[in-house]
Structures are given as C-alpha cells and as structure tokens.
Amino acid sequence: MAATQEEIVAGLAEIVNEIAGIPVEDVQLDKSFTDDLDVDSLSMVEVVVAAEERFDVKIPDDDVKELKTVGDAADYIAKHQS
Amino acid sequence: MSKISPSKGAPYARIMGVGGYRPTRVVPNEVILETIDSSDEWIRSRSGIASRHWASPEETVAAMSIEAAGKAIADAGVTPEQIDAVIVSTVSHFKQTPAIATEIAHGIGAGKPAAFDISAGCAGFGYGLTLAKGMIVDGSAGHVLVIGVERLSDLTDLTDRATAFLFGDGAGAVVVGPAKEPMMGPTVWGSEGDKAQTIRQTEPWTAYRDGGRPEKFPAIAQEGQSVFRWAVFEMAKVAQQALDAAGIGPADLDVFIPHQANMRIIDSMVKTLKLPESVTVARDVETTGNTSAASIPLAMERLLATGKAKSGDTALVIGFGAGLVYAATVVTLP
Ligand SMILES: CC(C)(COP(=O)(O)OP(=O)(O)OC[C@H]1O[C@@H](n2cnc3c(N)ncnc32)[C@H](O)[C@@H]1OP(=O)(O)O)[C@@H](O)C(=O)NCCC(=O)NCCS
C-alpha cells in the first residue's frame, strides 16, 4: 500500500537522523538537505538508497540532483512508489 | 587417450610477506588547489584525503615494483630464486608490450619465473591474489609474487574537479606460497560491464594516431556519484558474501582492508557491514589517496608496520573499480 505524505516525511526523518544525526523533528517539508540538514551530496546518495528500500521506489542518479528539499523528495516518492 | 600425470600442488596457500613503496614526493591538498577551484575542507570532507604521493620520473612502475617486491620477499623469508611466477596488476604502465612483469622479475633477480601483467583496475590485487592461490594449489608455482603498482598521476587531469584530488602513486607486493591449513578464503569476484563507462580513460591511445592530437593527454574520468552509490551499496554485499564464503562472522574478523578509494566509502561500508569496534579498519587513503591496484597491499603493509594489525590476524580485503570489477576475500595476514 502506498505511504501517505505524512508517513513519507516521517520515514525520511528517520533516515536523515540515521545518516546525518539530525533530530527527526528538524526534518520538515521546506528544509533543504544540503543547506539546512547537513546532508552533503554523498550523504544524499545514502539517503536516496535508504529511501528506495523503505518506500519501494527507484530514484536514478540523474533525478537525485533535483531533490533539493525534503518536500521534493516526499513528492518524488509519492509519485513513483509502486 | 594417453594418461597425463596430474600436477601436484600444496594443499592450501597463504600470504607469506608484504612490502610497499611510496614515492618520496608528498603532495598536500594545497598543491591540488593550484589547478582546481576547491578547498582543503571540501576535499577532506568528501574524500578524507589530506595528501598523496606522486612519483618522480625515476620512480617508474618497474622501479617502485622492484622496491616493494624486494621488501615482500624479505618479509616472506624466501629468496628471489624461489619466486616461480610474477603477476603485476597495473593500468598505468604506458607500454603495451612487453609486459612490465618480465622486467620486474629480472630486476629482483628471480631467474626465469612465469611473468605477466593483468588489467583489473582497483580490483587487480584481489584478482592477482586469486590467480596466485590457484597456481600454488595447482602446483604450477611454489611461490608467486603479486604486485599492484600505479602511477595514476600520469593519468590524472589536474583541471578536473571530480578527480584531480583523488589519485596517488605507489607499489604494493605480496609473496603467496604454500600453507598447511586454509589461510586464503574463497574469492567473491565479478564484473559489471554495463557500467564500463562510469570509470574510464577519456581517449584511447590511438586518438594520437587517428585525426591528430587530442587536446589533453588521456586521463581517468568518472561518474563520481554513480560509482559512489555502487561502491557503498553493492560492494558491502560482496564483502558480506566473502565473509559468508569463508565462514567468518563480523566478530571473528580482526582487520578490514577495503580498496582505499574514498574515506566516505570506507565509513559507509563499515556501517553497512556492522563491523564491531574491535575490527581495525585501514584508512590509508588519508595520506596515500587512491592508488588503485596498489592500495590494498600498501594499506596492509602499513597496518602491520605500525602495529595496528599483526601477523595471524584475519582480514577481509575487497577491491573494486574500473570495469566495473570487484574481488573480495578473507585472508590470514602474514
Ligand atoms: C569524486 C567525489 C568525491 C565527488 O563528490 P560528489 O558529491 O559526487 O560531487 P558532485 O560532482 O556531485 O558535486 C557536488 C557539489 O560539490 C561541488 N564540487 C564538485 N567537485 C568539487 C571540488 N573538487 N571542490 C569543491 N567543490 C566541488 C559541485 O560543484 C557541487 O556543488 P553544487 O551542489 O553547489 O552544484 C565522489 O563522487 C566520489 O568520491 N565518488 C567515488 C569515486 C571513486 O572513489 N572512484 C574510484 C573507485 S575505484
């Protein structure tokens, strides 16, 4: 069953917490991964792969660059999850 | 059909000795910043690299190999005459023929060993190790010298922000010989040719013949993020398979020596493999950069020389890189 946006953001928050040590409550829709959450381009690759597993989506390398904010990632996952 | 006598080898093989050679010139990040728009902080945070060694014109592929091999032979307690085969893994020897292995074999005074080069990028050391093990057990060689050697500074585009800071030069060597018990586990190895373009030489040498001179000397280029993703996630699985194949759990492991490509890849693999704190992790990349085929034996030599690892320790080694290719195995350290 497809996850709701709320579930996706909560899931992303756990992933970002695990990878970059950012408190889950800081992971909000409008937050930029690199500027606000200390997720650099390589950590972002780790976030993306963890999200792929968790939400059963494929996020190709070329699309990763478009995912600037938590909201971008949540929308992408909502649109592409099977 | 006539009866052919079977070859008789040793029951098992082991690494008997290791040696390394690092070029004299140390190149800190400040030198890299002369040709790319970057910062010491960025290079350290994305790769963990602070400095690397670059070879002088005298520190040739053969010269560095002969130095490293001499140390490995002495460490193994054998003589050069006992070396029956020399396997050299390199992508940065610029003569197609003859193989550099024969010159190196001659240079160490080995007599008339079998000698040949292999090309398996950053997995070359593991590929060589696997061939050597087979030769010992098969009986076609009593002792095999396996060398990983690179002058990647010759294949680096110093104006390419994605690679200028990554590569270094050096040589690492081991002697593989007979053992009474298993001291080299099964190798998990393979290739993924569908990703051949992710790490590549920019131009073939024939570009110099056909249609005039390319603007720049050929260099190694790569899709950094794709390679990072593959290394971190696919290679952790391969490392786990090598542990499983050897019947080794994370708690039985003393040392982890991954190919020294990038500290971030190393950190991520340690996390994914859930290696306990007790496992010593090779982090030679900080002062050596990525030396491709040389990186694992160089890191192994340094861990042993500094007392961070000791003879008899159980080590997981994994190489991965251009091809894409990979090789992982569990070995007992010499
Ligand atoms: C090379 C590597 C460190 C590059 O890191 P990356 O995060 O993929 O870099 P990107 O090209 O995506 O760039 C990310 C950002 O850093 C910037 N950047 C790129 N190279 C830079 C450099 N040398 N200095 C400073 N900034 C740089 C980019 O402009 C980009 O900035 P932007 O987000 O504001 O546009 C990394 O991809 C890597 O190590 N991959 C594995 C490669 C490897 O080990 N290969 C050998 C395996 S055998």
Side-chain angles (χ1 to χ4, degrees):
Chain A
M1 214 184 65
T4 63
Q5 192 193 50
E6 209 170 309
E7 287 165 344
I8 293 171
V9 175
L12 285 173
E14 277 178 33
I15 290 168
V16 170
N17 173 264
E18 162 79 9
I19 287 163
I22 302 295
V24 284
E25 58 272 20
D26 290 1
V27 182
Q28 306 283 347
L29 282 177
D30 59 338
K31 291 286 164 63
S32 150
F33 286 106
T34 39
D35 299 336
D36 303 321
L37 300 175
D38 207 23
V39 174
D40 72 13
S41 47
L42 295 181
S43 297
M44 191 60 196
V45 175
E46 299 186 63
V47 168
V48 160
V49 176
E52 282 189 339
E53 265 179 27
R54 184 161 183 146
F55 301 111
D56 195 21
V57 282
K58 279 262 151 282
I59 312 178
D61 292 321
D62 288 342
D63 293 349
V64 174
K65 289 188 174 43
E66 312 303 322
L67 309 179
K68 302 270 186 237
T69 65
V70 175
D72 294 342
D75 289 348
Y76 189 96
I77 292 165
K79 209 182 291 166
H80 292 85
Q81 63 186 347
S82 42
Chain B
M1 196 180 80
S2 307
K3 189 166 178 295
I4 297 174
S5 304
S7 54
K8 283 198 201 71
Y12 304 105
R14 66 183 172 114
I15 299 178
M16 299 175 67
V18 60
Y21 181 82
R22 291 160 202 272
T24 321
R25 182 178 173 209
V26 174
V27 178
N29 287 344
E30 287 68 47
V31 174
I32 307 296
L33 301 179
E34 290 167 12
T35 48
I36 57 167
D37 175 18
S38 185
S39 67
D40 180 47
E41 196 269 327
W42 192 93
I43 294 172
R44 284 176 194 254
S45 75
R46 299 305 160 107
S47 70
I49 299 170
S51 62
R52 70 290 286 145
H53 297 253
W54 282 353
S56 70
E58 292 73 39
E59 290 167 316
T60 60
V61 164
M64 294 194 293
S65 298
I66 290 167
E67 285 287 328
K71 292 180 195 164
I73 290 167
D75 189 45
V78 298
T79 62
E81 296 78 23
Q82 286 175 275
I83 301 295
D84 301 314
V86 177
I87 303 173
V88 177
S89 180
T90 186
V91 299
S92 43
H93 168 58
F94 295 110
K95 251 189 193 166
Q96 216 76 41
T97 195
I100 193 66
T102 60
E103 185 182 328
I104 294 167
H106 179 67
I108 60 169
K112 297 183 182 178
F116 58 98
D117 298 353
I118 58 174
S119 175
C122 308
F125 180 71
Y127 273 57
L129 218 50
T130 306
L131 294 177
K133 180 176 69 171
M135 290 153 78
I136 304 286
V137 173
D138 157 77
S140 43
H143 297 90
V144 182
L145 185 63
V146 178
I147 300 172
V149 56
E150 302 293 357
R151 279 178 58 109
L152 294 183
S153 59
D154 287 335
L155 279 176
T156 303
D157 175 356
L158 291 179
T159 64
D160 179 0
R161 287 173 100 205
T163 56
F165 57 93
L166 283 176
F167 300 124
D169 303 339
V174 296
V175 174
V176 181
K180 294 195 181 70
E181 50 184 334
M183 295 168 87
M184 294 172 80
T187 301
V188 177
W189 59 346
S191 67
E192 297 183 35
D194 58 322
K195 302 186 182 68
Q197 288 305 309
T198 55
I199 307 177
R200 61 189 184 276
Q201 180 173 324
T202 48
E203 299 269 1
W205 304 120
T206 45
Y208 281 88
R209 183 197 59 201
D210 309 331
R213 289 178 74 84
E215 261 171 48
K216 280 181 173 172
F217 191 72
I220 299 169
Q222 64 176 359
E223 316 301 332
Q225 297 236 336
S226 310
V227 176
F228 183 82
R229 188 196 274 224
W230 175 79
V232 162
F233 294 97
E234 302 308 321
M235 292 305 100
K237 292 178 201 158
V238 169
Q240 186 60 54
Q241 287 165 15
L243 284 175
D244 295 344
I248 294 288
D252 306 318
L253 198 65
D254 301 305
V255 184
F256 178 44
I257 313 179
H259 166 48
Q260 303 290 300
N262 181 323
M263 199 72 86
R264 297 285 293 270
I265 295 176
I266 298 171
D267 288 338
S268 179
M269 283 180 116
V270 168
K271 216 158 104 181
T272 310
L273 288 167
K274 300 194 169 57
L275 296 184
E277 293 267 328
S278 57
V279 175
T280 299
V281 178
R283 298 185 183 283
D284 199 36
V285 67
E286 182 180 1
T287 53
T288 308
N290 178 347
T291 57
S292 193
S295 86
I296 293 174
L298 275 175
M300 185 185 291
E301 187 266 344
R302 181 155 280 177
L303 286 176
L304 288 164
T306 55
K308 289 188 180 141
K310 56 184 194 310
S311 176
D313 276 355
T314 302
L316 168 63
V317 300
I318 177 166
F320 46 84
L324 297 173
V325 290
Y326 55 87
T329 186
V330 174
V331 297
T332 307
L333 291 183

